[in-house]
Amino acid sequence: MVSRNELTAATLDTLPITVAVLDDEGEILLTNRSWREFGSGTDDHVGADYIATTATADDEHARRAVTGIEAVLAGDRDSFTMEYPCHSPDQKRWFMMRASPFHEDGDRLVSLVHLDITERKLAEIAAEENARQVREEREALEHVLERVDGLVRNVTDAAVGAETREAIEREVCTCLAETDPYVLAWIGRADVTNQRLSPREWASQGTVPLEDDELIIGTDETHPAVRAFADGEAQVTRDLDAFEEADRWWPTGASEHFQSVAALPLTYGDITYGVLVVFASETDAFDERELLVLESLSETIATAMNALEVRRMLTTETVVSIEVAIEDPSLFVTGLSETLDTAISYRGLTYDADGTPLLFLHADREIDADSVEDTALDGSDVTILSETEDGAVLEVAAEDGLVTALSEHGGVIRELTVTDTVADLSVELPDGRSARSAYDLLEDRYDRVELVSYHETEEPAQTRQDVTSRLESSLTDRQLMAVRKAYYANYFEWPRDVSGEELAESMDISRSTFHQHLRTAQRKLLDEVLE
């Protein structure tokens, strides 16, 4: 029959934990298989002084273990537990040691158990790391939200509170440059005449440099500001050191000041007021979240600029004059000039009874009636209204065209001449927004459009358009048509280039009816002028 001691030893050998039994002097009396296998695999360490061996180790955990076991052996503690690392060269390991006293035949003994807790410890470390990351992310998010809230508030206050566009640009740049990690901000405007994009206002931390060279729209598309203005979308350079064109745009050593760049168009509706360019001292500073904030700010800035422009339009009378050169055979007057082999100039516009636009053009030479009748450009009906000493006045019935399109944008054509396939156009528009919209219309419709000049001038309280509108409102459509036809066809010149009968025929009315319309219109116009 198996003795009690043999049964105990056999049972201990089945346990997956290391176990040793110490006497009251700290000598090892018994170990199990796990203990032996953890060591050399053969030595059971029976008879060894565990306390003395452990005390020789120059280790904080060993000192704690000796102190705790001695307290249990002396009866000062009911038990002792501690966790400690025991790493191997290729593995991280942790154990929990527990010393528990018991008595056998009147002797005080201690069972010493070492339990592998590596999996639990790794899970705890992972949980602590996750908690640390969550805490850091929360703190970072709180910092970002605080920073973003302050930035949005400051920029919005600057944009909304400014009295001029220049003040908006200056205050916005200052707010951005004072917000880490931004170090430089500038707002550029486009000179559409010279196709240049250049900073108008800027602010920076210290001596952060601006661009070294001019930015040319349509050519320098490697620069993020030009791309943003041309494409109407935000552009980001995340790492300046990896940007091949960096040396072209920024002075040598600029990377000491900033590492990333973001450019955003300042757009309201279909109007682009310029571009906002922001520089940061860190790479990848403009992540998705940061870019979303800047896009929102750029919309706020553009909205404020638009509000100022609308307010200025309501409080002041301004006229924008633009001159352009158009080279495209699809332009009606250009096609007509080529077909008739003569220079063509615009004289005026009216509408017939059914609302069809009637254009009056002057040809610089005599025109054969048969050649005009054979002319059918874009479905337009061309007739000779009168012949002059130096050419002929043509009447063109056109459903759609350049003149009517510009009229829909509030434009008044002051000059339109076609010579050698090039149309020179001068048009007045009520404000900058209408001018930009009209110019965009021309660029979309025709192959080659060159802006020759752009002028914005103040008008007196009562503009020419106001007077014209009031005079025209006093006439019926037929009266207005009669007086315009007479004027454009040189009926009031002497000798007359056209008769009343011919003008009446062009309106499909009798001569007496034409003269009645003309006399009534003249009387009303004189009443407006003289009374």
Side-chain angles (χ1 to χ4, degrees):
M1 184 175 180
V2 180
S3 67
R4 180 181 178 185
N5 288 340
E6 291 175 337
L7 181 60
T8 300
T11 302
L12 289 176
D13 282 343
T14 65
L15 299 178
I17 57 177
T18 62
V19 179
V21 177
L22 310 181
D23 65 13
D24 57 356
E25 297 296 330
E27 182 180 322
I28 298 176
L29 301 178
L30 175 69
T31 61
N32 71 342
R33 181 182 301 165
S34 294
W35 183 286
R36 295 190 294 273
E37 289 178 349
F38 186 80
S40 64
T42 58
D43 192 352
D44 59 11
H45 300 99
V46 173
D49 188 340
Y50 184 84
I51 298 296
T53 303
T54 305
T56 59
D58 185 17
D59 181 81
E60 177 187 351
H61 301 292
R63 289 192 294 271
R64 284 181 56 208
V66 169
T67 301
I69 294 171
E70 287 179 336
V72 172
L73 290 172
D76 296 334
R77 297 186 62 161
D78 293 336
S79 64
F80 172 72
T81 303
M82 67 171 285
E83 296 179 2
Y84 64 95
C86 184
H87 305 319
S88 67
D90 56 355
Q91 185 181 7
K92 296 287 187 181
R93 298 179 302 185
W94 285 265
F95 291 87
M96 182 181 70
M97 184 191 76
R98 182 178 178 84
S100 303
F102 67 98
H103 294 82
E104 179 66 25
D105 296 333
D107 296 327
R108 183 177 178 84
L109 307 176
V110 172
S111 65
L112 201 60
V113 177
H114 293 265
L115 178 64
D116 190 340
I117 59 170
T118 300
E119 289 187 7
R120 194 204 78 194
K121 200 68 177 177
L122 290 175
E124 289 177 353
I125 291 174
E128 291 175 359
E129 178 64 20
N130 289 337
R132 183 189 62 78
Q133 290 180 357
V134 170
R135 184 171 60 255
E136 289 180 353
E137 288 177 1
R138 184 179 66 250
E139 291 173 353
L141 181 59
E142 290 174 352
H143 173 72
V144 168
L145 291 176
E146 182 180 354
R147 168 182 162 275
V148 167
D149 180 63
L151 177 63
V152 171
R153 184 173 58 252
N154 291 340
V155 171
T156 301
D157 290 346
V160 174
E163 292 296 327
T164 64
R165 179 171 171 181
E166 290 76 11
I168 291 178
E169 295 169 342
R170 182 169 55 254
E171 294 299 324
V172 164
C173 290
T174 299
C175 288
L176 290 170
E178 291 176 348
T179 304
D180 289 333
Y182 306 149
V183 293
L184 168 67
W186 61 261
I187 291 179
R189 298 190 199 178
D191 181 346
V192 291
T193 304
N194 298 316
Q195 290 294 291
R196 296 292 193 273
L197 181 66
S198 57
R200 294 296 296 266
E201 296 289 343
W202 63 88
S204 66
Q205 293 184 15
T207 57
V208 180
L210 281 170
E211 277 69 4
D212 254 359
D213 206 350
E214 284 188 311
L215 303 180
I216 304 175
I217 301 171
T219 300
D220 295 332
E221 294 188 356
T222 58
H223 194 288
V226 177
R227 292 203 313 275
F229 183 83
D231 299 342
E233 296 179 353
Q235 303 292 330
V236 176
T237 300
R238 300 188 182 280
D239 185 357
L240 189 63
D241 290 335
F243 182 41
E244 294 181 357
E245 299 286 336
D247 290 341
R248 178 181 179 189
W249 302 119
W250 297 289
T252 302
S255 59
E256 296 177 3
H257 302 279
F258 51 83
Q259 285 289 324
S260 52
V261 183
L264 304 98
L266 300 176
T267 303
Y268 182 88
D270 59 352
I271 303 173
T272 299
Y273 289 98
V275 61
L276 168 67
V277 187
V278 184
F279 299 77
S281 58
E282 305 168 357
T283 58
D284 295 319
F286 303 101
D287 56 16
E288 240 179 83
R289 182 173 54 194
E290 195 79 8
L291 201 55
L292 187 63
V293 172
L294 288 176
E295 286 176 341
S296 176
L297 290 178
S298 66
E299 291 175 2
T300 300
I301 297 165
T303 301
M305 289 179 174
N306 179 262
L308 280 180
E309 185 173 276
V310 171
R311 185 170 65 186
R312 183 179 59 81
M313 287 166 51
L314 294 175
T315 56
T316 61
E317 298 290 347
T318 60
V319 171
V320 176
S321 301
I322 62 173
E323 295 181 19
V324 297
I326 305 172
E327 191 169 357
D328 189 329
S330 68
L331 178 59
F332 173 78
V333 288
T334 302
L336 184 62
S337 174
E338 289 184 321
T339 300
L340 300 179
D341 191 25
T342 182
I344 296 290
S345 58
Y346 169 79
R347 298 209 61 184
L349 171 71
T350 191
Y351 296 86
D352 65 11
D354 61 2
T356 300
L358 299 178
L359 274 66
F360 299 96
L361 306 174
H362 185 270
D364 283 357
R365 69 172 182 83
E366 293 185 5
I367 303 299
D368 181 72
D370 293 335
S371 65
V372 169
E373 290 179 1
D374 294 338
T375 300
L377 299 171
D378 297 332
S380 301
D381 184 17
V382 182
T383 59
I384 299 176
L385 188 60
S386 67
E387 295 182 352
T388 65
E389 292 182 357
D390 56 351
V393 175
L394 307 178
E395 180 182 285
V396 181
E399 291 294 339
D400 184 30
L402 170 66
V403 176
T404 53
L406 289 174
S407 296
E408 291 173 357
H409 283 74
V412 177
I413 294 178
R414 293 304 174 206
E415 181 182 357
L416 174 58
T417 59
V418 181
T419 307
D420 297 330
T421 73
V422 176
D424 294 311
L425 169 67
S426 175
V427 59
E428 286 183 358
L429 296 119
D431 52 66
R433 177 163 42 182
S434 299
R436 284 188 289 271
S437 179
Y439 184 75
D440 290 341
L441 168 74
L442 297 176
E443 281 202 316
D444 290 340
R445 281 197 176 194
Y446 304 112
D447 290 342
R448 181 175 174 271
V449 178
E450 180 183 351
L451 181 61
V452 178
S453 67
Y454 179 105
H455 298 291
E456 186 172 328
T457 55
E458 296 287 336
E459 287 288 324
Q462 187 172 6
T463 65
R464 175 178 175 178
Q465 286 86 348
D466 294 334
V467 176
T468 301
S469 297
R470 189 176 72 251
L471 293 175
E472 290 180 353
S473 66
S474 67
L475 305 178
T476 67
D477 291 341
R478 301 296 276 177
Q479 291 166 358
L480 181 60
M481 185 178 180
V483 75
R484 278 183 167 172
K485 279 205 173 196
Y487 178 78
Y488 296 135
N490 294 331
Y491 177 78
F492 299 110
E493 300 291 335
W494 190 261
R496 289 172 176 163
D497 295 327
V498 63
S499 68
E501 187 173 355
E502 291 172 315
L503 292 176
E505 184 179 352
S506 72
M507 294 179 62
D508 197 23
I509 56 178
S510 67
R511 187 171 67 88
S512 60
T513 301
F514 169 78
H515 283 294
Q516 181 181 1
H517 287 324
L518 187 60
R519 284 195 298 272
T520 302
Q522 288 175 307
R523 179 179 54 77
K524 288 182 177 180
L525 293 177
L526 289 172
D527 285 345
E528 288 288 345
V529 173
L530 299 178
E531 285 188 355

